[in-house]
Amino acid sequence: MEHVRLPLLASRPDVLIDVVEEPLLKNSPKCKDYMYEAIQFNLFKSVQHFTIPLTIRCKPRQFGDSAKVILMFNRSETLTKCYTEWYDPTTKLRENAPGLNECRRLAGLGVIRDQFVFAVGGVNESSSKTVSMLDVSSQSPSWVPMVDLVVSRKRLGVGVLDDCIYAVGGGDLINALNSVEVFDISIQKWRTVTSMSTKRCDLGVGVLNNLLYAVGGAADKNTTLSSVEYYDPILDTWTPVANMSRSRHGVGVGVLDGLMYAIGGHGGGKYLKSVEVYRPSDGVWSSVADMEICRFRPGVVALDGLLYVMGGRSDGSFYNDTVEIYNPNTNTWTLERLSRNEVKIYGGVVVDRPHH
């Protein structure tokens, strides 16, 4: 019974009831716990704040380790409408995904266990404490509200470390934040941790060797940052590392094969297509090949040994409808244009391929 995924029988309540009434199981304390878990799981799915389950029994089985796709976040010409798509880089196929109720273009995006996608803060161009979550494994996936943040945020960075999701900095060029908070799924609450040494909005966040890095950003309208610092969750401390070669506000960050890439952004009065990589072994940043297009606030994901850099702004108003793919073995970029009108991409995360 330990390996039977009872919680996933929500669509067959008659079967679940039959299992619960089975005398052999009712007389086993351990099996009763598994049945109670299944009932609780389905009860919680109907309440306002969904609770992320802690056991493998609540996750559908996956067939093959490489069954991953990108959940891409887009916006329409009008800022009030945002939507999502499943994007399979292998087949280039795109399909509509569950839509968000509000536009979260300035939210932070993160995913736990390649299954639970978080959109944190940043509602309709304003700071917000609200958090939405999508369970991509659900039979009928939809965005549900989660527990609110402690601090209202937009233009923040988000990183996931040890099943905990971190909301880092944010704000705007007038009131940037250095505060940081973490959502621990074991207690289902946000709590503040030690603040960064520097206020940062439009920063990038990367997780490398069990450390959370805050990369670049802007401290105010006159100060674009090249500085980088990392958070150690065991010590609850922030420590500076080497600065990037240039200041980057609205920088995209991706981690691939133990290296961290700082991609694009805005600095020195212009939008950037330059890219640099941080090697933790020697603590040094070095340049790699430029992208073909400048990108401010792009979405960045790593998948199958490649970096995908999606959308972002190329100038003050234009959002890209393209994806650039970086191959670290050849130090080259490949540009793909999505053949769809009015696609304005602002983010993405890698998730398990939904069964549907």
Side-chain angles (χ1 to χ4, degrees), residues 156-173:
L156 64 154
V158 164
V160 176
L161 185 58
D162 295 331
D163 270 357
C164 295
I165 189 156
Y166 288 80
V168 184
D172 54 37
L173 298 181

Side-chain angles (χ1 to χ4, degrees), residues 72-75 83 271-273 291-299 309-315 317-324 335-338 340 342-347:
M72 190 179 287
F73 291 76
N74 310 321
R75 57 168 280 262
Y83 59 98
Y271 291 89
L272 305 173
K273 59 182 176 180
M291 295 180 290
E292 292 191 34
I293 296 176
C294 298
R295 297 178 188 270
F296 173 73
R297 290 194 207 135
V309 182
M310 298 164 284
R313 276 202 340 236
S314 290
D315 58 33
S317 59
F318 178 68
Y319 265 76
N320 282 302
D321 61 352
T322 59
V323 177
E324 289 194 59
L335 180 70
E336 287 185 5
R337 191 172 297 278
L338 300 181
R340 180 165 176 174
E342 299 183 357
V343 173
K344 311 296 182 187
I345 310 165
Y346 67 89

Side-chain angles (χ1 to χ4, degrees), residues 241-243 259-260 276-287:
V241 297
N243 286 6
L259 304 176
M260 183 169 62
E276 49 192 304
V277 60
Y278 177 76
R279 291 174 172 80
S281 56
D282 54 20
V284 172
W285 289 92
S286 55
S287 296

Side-chain angles (χ1 to χ4, degrees), residues 40-345:
Q40 286 289 96
F41 176 76
N42 286 293
L43 282 175
F44 276 128
K45 289 192 80 165
S46 64
V47 301
Q48 184 184 24
H49 293 307
F50 177 73
T51 302
I52 296 178
L54 299 176
T55 70
I56 191 66
R57 288 181 293 280
C58 300
K59 181 177 181 178
R61 301 179 191 275
Q62 289 289 326
F63 300 95
D65 293 334
S66 60
K68 307 284 185 191
V69 294
I70 296 172
L71 178 62
M72 190 179 287
F73 291 76
N74 310 321
R75 57 168 280 262
S76 65
E77 290 289 350
T78 60
L79 293 177
T80 55
K81 182 170 173 55
C82 292
Y83 59 98
T84 57
E85 290 182 310
W86 309 115
Y87 172 60
D88 187 336
T90 305
T91 63
K92 312 303 178 191
L93 291 176
R94 303 201 315 281
E95 294 182 16
N96 289 334
L100 285 154
N101 292 328
E102 58 280 292
C103 186
R104 287 192 180 263
R105 184 176 68 89
L106 301 182
L109 305 173
V111 59
I112 292 178
R113 303 185 203 155
D114 299 328
Q115 177 185 350
F116 302 103
V117 183
F118 284 74
V120 182
V123 173
N124 297 331
E125 307 299 301
S126 300
S127 292
S128 175
K129 291 183 179 181
T130 63
V131 180
S132 295
M133 191 274 293
L134 176 73
D135 179 0
V136 302
S137 73
S138 172
Q139 291 283 348
S140 302
S142 62
W143 291 90
V144 297
M146 296 293 287
V147 179
D148 283 357
L149 292 161
V150 176
V151 176
S152 189
R153 301 178 190 271
K154 66 178 179 179
R155 298 185 182 184
L156 64 154
V158 164
V160 176
L161 185 58
D162 295 331
D163 270 357
C164 295
I165 189 156
Y166 288 80
V168 184
D172 54 37
L173 298 181
I174 298 172
N175 185 27
L177 304 172
N178 65 348
S179 64
V180 182
E181 52 192 293
V182 57
F183 181 75
D184 188 333
I185 67 171
S186 63
I187 60 174
Q188 298 291 314
K189 285 188 188 240
W190 291 92
R191 59 179 175 85
T192 56
V193 296
T194 299
S195 295
M196 295 180 289
S197 64
T198 304
K199 294 181 177 181
R200 302 175 190 267
C201 76
D202 280 330
L203 69 156
V205 168
V207 173
L208 189 60
N209 297 334
N210 294 315
L211 302 171
L212 185 86
Y213 285 79
V215 180
D220 54 51
K221 63 182 180 180
N222 298 316
T223 310
T224 301
L225 301 167
S226 62
S227 63
V228 181
E229 54 188 309
Y230 71 79
Y231 177 73
D232 186 329
I234 296 174
L235 301 177
D236 188 28
T237 56
W238 287 91
T239 303
V241 297
N243 286 6
M244 293 179 289
S245 64
R246 68 177 310 151
S247 303
R248 297 178 187 271
H249 153 223
V251 59
V253 169
V255 175
L256 180 65
D257 297 331
L259 304 176
M260 183 169 62
Y261 294 80
I263 301 166
H266 185 277
K270 62 181 181 179
Y271 291 89
L272 305 173
K273 59 182 176 180
S274 63
V275 182
E276 49 192 304
V277 60
Y278 177 76
R279 291 174 172 80
S281 56
D282 54 20
V284 172
W285 289 92
S286 55
S287 296
V288 298
D290 287 359
M291 295 180 290
E292 292 191 34
I293 296 176
C294 298
R295 297 178 188 270
F296 173 73
R297 290 194 207 135
V300 182
V301 299
L303 181 62
D304 295 333
L306 301 170
L307 272 181
Y308 290 80
V309 182
M310 298 164 284
R313 276 202 340 236
S314 290
D315 58 33
S317 59
F318 178 68
Y319 265 76
N320 282 302
D321 61 352
T322 59
V323 177
E324 289 194 59
I325 303 156
Y326 178 71
N327 186 333
N329 297 322
T330 58
N331 190 29
T332 56
W333 290 91
T334 304
L335 180 70
E336 287 185 5
R337 191 172 297 278
L338 300 181
S339 56
R340 180 165 176 174
N341 293 331
E342 299 183 357
V343 173
K344 311 296 182 187
I345 310 165

